[in-house]
Amino acid sequence: PNDQLSIDNALILSRSRRWPLMIDPQLQANKWIRNWKGDNLKILRLSMGNYARVLEIAIANGNPTLLENIGETLDPLLEP
């Protein structure tokens, strides 16, 4: 989207040093990240049985990772 809020959010996302949390009910950010990162993007859901292993490998290889459908509480594995 070309609205100012979306542009500001994209700038914050692309310039941040840490991972952002995006509340995205319309899935616009999700689509934008998928297009931005392309085939290199690892897409995970906490409901996947092997998400921890896939996440570990993605981090070790420096792959960008998108965690989808995160609930109100995080798995303790994801806590900093």
Side-chain angles (χ1 to χ4, degrees):
N2 290 329
D3 61 281
Q4 190 60 43
L5 181 61
S6 296
I7 292 169
D8 291 345
N9 287 336
L11 285 170
I12 291 169
L13 175 66
S14 63
R15 305 272 190 236
S16 65
R17 291 184 179 187
R18 295 186 54 114
W19 52 272
L21 172 65
M22 293 178 287
I23 299 171
D24 186 27
Q26 296 176 336
L27 300 178
Q28 291 177 336
N30 190 308
K31 291 175 189 172
W32 182 77
I33 289 172
R34 287 171 183 252
N35 288 333
W36 180 38
K37 293 298 182 179
D39 293 334
N40 198 30
L41 180 67
K42 302 297 181 199
I43 300 169
L44 303 175
R45 291 185 176 184
L46 299 184
S47 60
M48 295 171 58
N50 65 342
Y51 90 89
R53 182 69 179 135
V54 175
L55 180 61
E56 180 182 6
I57 292 169
I59 290 170
N61 293 330
N63 297 115
T65 306
L66 175 64
L67 294 173
E68 293 183 322
N69 298 334
I70 304 246
E72 291 184 25
T73 58
L74 280 178
D75 184 328
L77 175 79
L78 299 174
E79 292 288 337

